[in-house]
């Protein structure tokens, strides 16, 4: 029987060789990316304002272009959305990814240029397949269908052919027609805005197809897969799709969902690959299934810089811009805020994510959290990465499974006691929530020395508290904000109580 995947896989060989050069030529590759981006944008309004034509090297770029957040560029972006050309990137940009990095009412609209679509976003998708085939030469993913879960989009200011919405919807809208031959569901269903209607229709369409690979956000994909199993009357997805072999996942950390997926897909041939694809770009791929760290993809149209977290002020801006470093000057083990320049017209743009490198040559990293989504109310500096690892320890010790969670500080009250409050929706509840809380608390102290210091003898922080959530309050909270599906998610950690108080009110 012919293996179509082996035949198609030969087309990925040159790309696999190019990626191998990451280990020896990183600085040269990144310098070439910067020179290309600057040259392309030299005659844009932004390029003229910052005299791109005379930029000679990275040092010039760093000194002449200030670090940006969305606040600094939103005026440019709004003009672009109204049809103005040659602002941040040459020509007219007609697609805008509505950022779901936050769940408040304030949205960010990230430009997605034609070049960026191909040389950043689609490049990442192609490389995910290239790396997977390199790891799994006997794969047969092209012998069946691919289930891609995406969001929705809407017209942008009623401009012709201009769209705004989830990045995944923009990708589906513009995907190569050949991909549509193997993709499930059809575009009409994939782009539905009502997630619950979309989930039902996807499940009905996909349940009788030969699905070999799935792509999407773990939380939303889980809902679709559970519905498929309900419709087929089974508790093992491998019975529905016996040839399913890989889940390309991203958008949220996979740790809370890993055990749930293992229980739903009970087959030893199932693989998982983490991807780092955000509204702003596609940045990383897991190239080794035994290593949770991802490889930074350095030859797309993305130039990387990094700011140490201890060099950020309370508003998330660098205190000293000279401490911002290019990729080749990073140090493994340091928590950095990531800064990017891309062919979508983002220049020295802080995307809000924090990363920590585990090695150089090639550069491998883990996402540690968000610059604004952490708890440091009492000097404990608790990051999302700490929370994920602590929960993993507590789950292993108790047999529990966490479906969703968020945490926030409880500030000093009349009893002069402060603590962290966690609201957790369990997929499998531990026999003792108190013991789960105890293990979580001790694990966080082992992982984070600042947290340990604040917990010492209960002087600054009391033991953490867990509020057990009823089924689906996180789903209901997102639904109430019109944020079901796509890459929408609940902030895991917050320095204030805005999110958790709303969720607790829904939990009653």
């Amino acid at each position: 029987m012919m293996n179509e995947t082996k035949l198609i896989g030969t087309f990925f060989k040159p790309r696999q060789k190019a990626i191998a050069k990451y280990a020896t030529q990183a600085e040269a590759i990144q310098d070439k990316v910067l020179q290309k981006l600057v040259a392309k944008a030299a005659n844009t309004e932004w390029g003229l304002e910052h005299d791109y034509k005379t930029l000679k090297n990275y040092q010039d770029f760093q000194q002449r272009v200030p670090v940006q957040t969305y606040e600094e560029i939103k005026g440019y972006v709004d003009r672009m959305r109204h049809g103005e050309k040659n602002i941040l990137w040459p020509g007219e940009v007609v697609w805008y990814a509505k950022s779901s990095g936050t769940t408040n009412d304030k949205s960010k609209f990230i430009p997605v240029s034609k070049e960026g679509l191909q040389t950043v976003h689609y490049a990442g998708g192609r490389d995910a397949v290239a790396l997977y085939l390199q790891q799994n030469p006997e794969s047969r993913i092209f012998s069946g269908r691919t289930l891609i879960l995406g969001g929705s989009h809407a017209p942008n200011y009623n401009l012709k052919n201009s769209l705004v919405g989830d990045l995944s919807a923009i990708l589906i809208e513009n995907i190569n027609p050949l991909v549509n031959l193997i993709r499930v569901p059809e575009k009409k269903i994939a782009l539905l805005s009502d997630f619950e209607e979309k989930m039902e229709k996807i499940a009905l369409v996909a349940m009788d197809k030969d699905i070999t690979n799935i792509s999407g956000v773990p939380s939303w994909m889980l809902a679709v897969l559970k519905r498929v199993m309900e419709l087929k009357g089974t508790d093992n997805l491998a019975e529905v799709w016996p040839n399913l072999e890989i889940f390309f996942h991203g958008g949220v950390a996979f740790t809370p969902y890993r055990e749930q997926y293992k229980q739903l897909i009970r087959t030893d041939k199932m693989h998982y690959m983490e991807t780092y694809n955000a509204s702003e770009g596609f940045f990383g791929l897991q190239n080794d299934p035994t290593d949770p760290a991802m490889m930074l993809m350095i030859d797309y149209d993305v130039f990387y810089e990094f700011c140490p977290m201890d060099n950020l002020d309370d508003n998330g801006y660098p205190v000293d811009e000279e401490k911002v470093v290019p990729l080749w000057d990073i140090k493994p083990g340091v928590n950095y805020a990531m800064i990017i320049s891309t062919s979508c017209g983002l220049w020295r743009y802080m995307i809000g994510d924090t990363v920590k490198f585990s090695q150089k040559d090639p550069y491998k990293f883990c996402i540690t959290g968000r610059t604004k989504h952490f708890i440091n109310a009492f000097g404990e500096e608790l990051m999302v990465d700490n929370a994920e690892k602590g929960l993993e320890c507590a789950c292993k010790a108790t047999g529990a499974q966490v479906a969703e969670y968020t945490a926030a500080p409880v500030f000093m009250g009349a009893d002069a006691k402060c603590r962290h409050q966690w609201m957790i929706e369990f997929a499998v509840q531990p026999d003792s929530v108190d013991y789960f809380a105890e293990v979580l608390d001790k694990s966080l102290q082992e992982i984070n020395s600042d947290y340990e210091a604040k917990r010492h003898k209960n002087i600054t922080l009391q033991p953490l508290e867990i509020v057990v959530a009823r089924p689906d309050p996180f789903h209901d909270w997102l639904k109430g904000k019109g944020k079901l599906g796509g890459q929408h998610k609940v902030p895991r950690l917050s320095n204030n109580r805005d999110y958790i108080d709303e969720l607790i009110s829904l939990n009653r």
Side-chain angles (χ1 to χ4, degrees):
M1 188 180 196
M2 185 182 74
N3 186 340
E4 300 93 333
T5 305
K6 274 200 171 176
L7 181 63
I8 297 172
T10 59
F11 293 99
F12 291 95
K13 296 287 186 186
R15 186 59 194 147
Q16 291 164 353
K17 290 181 180 177
I19 292 172
K21 294 178 181 177
Y22 287 11
T24 57
Q25 301 178 27
E27 183 172 349
I29 290 170
Q30 273 284 280
D31 185 64
K32 185 177 178 181
V33 169
L34 177 61
Q35 298 300 333
K36 174 186 173 183
L37 294 174
V38 167
K40 278 255 189 180
N43 289 315
T44 62
E45 181 177 314
W46 181 272
L48 293 170
E49 283 179 6
H50 296 88
D51 199 12
Y52 274 14
K53 288 182 180 178
T54 64
L55 288 180
K56 293 183 174 62
N57 50 39
Y58 169 68
Q59 287 71 29
D60 289 349
F61 181 67
Q62 183 186 41
Q63 290 168 13
R64 201 171 298 171
V65 184
V67 173
Q68 315 290 314
T69 68
Y70 191 74
E71 292 302 309
E72 285 77 47
I73 68 164
K74 66 181 180 181
Y76 293 93
V77 173
D78 197 54
R79 288 169 55 202
M80 293 165 68
R81 289 184 61 206
H82 279 89
E84 289 193 46
K85 301 177 182 179
N86 302 314
I87 305 297
L88 294 174
W89 190 251
E92 183 179 9
V93 176
V94 296
W95 304 307
Y96 295 86
K98 191 174 181 180
S99 175
S100 55
T102 59
T103 48
N104 57 23
D105 295 329
K106 190 176 180 181
S107 295
K108 299 176 183 177
F109 299 92
I110 306 300
V112 181
S113 68
K114 291 179 181 178
E115 291 92 339
L117 196 67
Q118 294 298 330
T119 61
V120 180
H121 294 290
Y122 285 145
R126 289 190 293 268
D127 281 352
V129 176
L131 289 173
Y132 177 69
L133 294 179
Q134 189 174 39
Q135 297 163 14
N136 301 277
E138 299 306 313
S139 168
R140 300 188 71 95
I141 58 171
F142 290 111
S143 299
R145 309 291 286 275
T146 178
L147 171 58
I148 301 176
L149 195 59
S152 61
H153 59 57
N156 168 52
Y157 287 143
N158 296 314
L159 290 181
K160 186 178 179 182
N161 300 322
S162 187
L163 299 172
V164 61
D166 291 322
L167 171 71
S168 54
I170 293 171
L171 297 177
I172 289 171
E173 182 66 49
N174 294 283
I175 207 164
N176 187 312
L178 291 175
V179 178
N180 287 324
L181 297 176
I182 61 169
R183 181 176 60 82
V184 175
E186 62 180 315
K187 189 185 293 187
K188 183 170 67 175
I189 294 174
L191 297 177
L192 285 171
S193 58
D194 185 314
F195 177 75
E196 289 167 323
E197 177 189 3
K198 174 158 54 181
M199 177 180 71
E200 185 69 18
K201 289 187 174 180
I202 289 175
L204 288 167
V205 168
M207 66 181 192
D208 293 319
K209 297 287 192 298
D210 180 19
I211 303 295
T212 61
N213 61 102
I214 55 179
S215 300
V217 177
S219 51
W220 304 120
M221 182 62 77
L222 196 63
V224 173
L225 301 186
K226 285 181 176 179
R227 183 58 183 144
V228 167
M229 290 189 295
E230 285 176 9
L231 291 168
K232 297 295 283 189
T234 180
D235 63 354
N236 183 5
L237 194 69
E239 294 177 357
V240 183
W241 299 327
N243 296 315
L244 179 63
E245 60 176 273
I246 174 68
F247 178 23
F248 299 103
H249 57 84
V252 297
F254 194 53
T255 304
Y257 304 100
R258 189 178 302 279
E259 286 304 315
Q260 294 180 69
Y261 274 89
K262 284 183 179 178
Q263 290 190 9
L264 293 184
I265 311 171
R266 297 195 294 278
T267 170
D268 57 7
K269 70 178 182 182
M270 188 64 189
H271 301 90
Y272 299 89
M273 179 186 283
E274 183 157 12
T275 66
Y276 183 9
N277 52 332
S279 299
E280 297 87 353
F282 201 120
F283 309 124
L285 285 166
Q286 187 178 5
N287 69 326
D288 178 354
T290 66
D291 183 357
M294 288 180 280
M295 181 165 61
L296 193 71
M297 308 308 288
I298 59 175
D299 61 350
Y300 301 171
D301 279 356
V302 182
F303 180 77
Y304 297 97
E305 297 174 87
F306 301 90
C307 179
M309 281 292 286
D310 60 11
N311 186 42
L312 294 181
D313 63 22
D314 292 341
N315 295 313
Y317 288 88
V319 175
D320 181 357
E321 287 205 16
E322 290 187 3
K323 291 184 178 179
V324 174
V325 296
L327 177 64
W328 54 88
D329 283 340
I330 65 95
K331 295 178 181 176
V334 175
N335 237 340
Y336 290 105
M338 196 157 84
I339 299 168
I340 58 170
S341 299
T342 79
S343 57
C344 289
L346 300 176
W347 298 105
R348 303 200 79 202
Y349 182 82
M350 296 189 69
I351 66 172
D353 286 344
T354 60
V355 299
K356 183 183 290 184
F357 286 88
S358 56
Q359 67 170 66
K360 294 185 171 189
D361 304 320
Y363 288 81
K364 297 186 70 171
F365 69 98
C366 287
I367 302 169
T368 54
R370 300 278 297 171
T371 55
K372 294 187 179 180
H373 291 170
F374 55 85
I375 305 178
N376 194 30
F378 314 105
E380 64 274 48
E381 295 191 28
L382 191 73
M383 306 292 292
V384 173
D385 181 55
N386 304 154
E388 300 284 354
K389 289 175 179 173
L391 286 169
E392 188 174 20
C393 292
C395 285
K396 282 182 179 176
T398 63
Q401 291 179 21
V402 173
E404 296 286 353
Y405 75 92
T406 193
V410 175
F411 296 99
M412 191 177 293
D415 57 1
K417 292 180 179 179
C418 309
R419 65 188 183 281
H420 287 182
Q421 185 178 55
W422 295 63
M423 182 170 172
I424 301 178
E425 180 182 344
F426 289 101
V428 175
Q429 190 163 322
D431 292 335
S432 169
V433 174
D434 288 342
Y435 180 58
F436 183 95
E438 182 183 333
V439 175
L440 174 58
D441 192 57
K442 287 182 178 177
S443 298
L444 292 175
Q445 292 182 55
E446 291 172 5
I447 293 164
N448 183 322
S449 59
D450 291 311
Y451 182 80
E452 180 184 34
K454 299 303 178 288
R455 282 284 294 111
H456 182 62
K457 295 185 177 180
N458 298 344
I459 294 172
T460 304
L461 281 177
Q462 299 292 306
L464 63 83
E465 169 196 2
I466 291 180
V467 176
V468 178
R470 63 167 174 81
D472 295 329
F474 293 90
H475 174 279
D476 296 344
W477 186 74
L478 287 167
K479 184 177 181 180
K481 294 182 176 295
K483 293 181 178 292
L484 283 183
Q487 289 181 295
H488 299 301
K489 48 194 177 273
V490 177
R492 297 308 197 190
L493 304 179
S494 178
N495 231 13
N496 60 55
R497 296 192 53 80
D498 295 350
Y499 305 123
I500 202 167
D501 283 343
E502 289 184 10
L503 282 156
I504 288 174
S505 69
L506 286 175
N507 198 46
R508 294 176 182 136

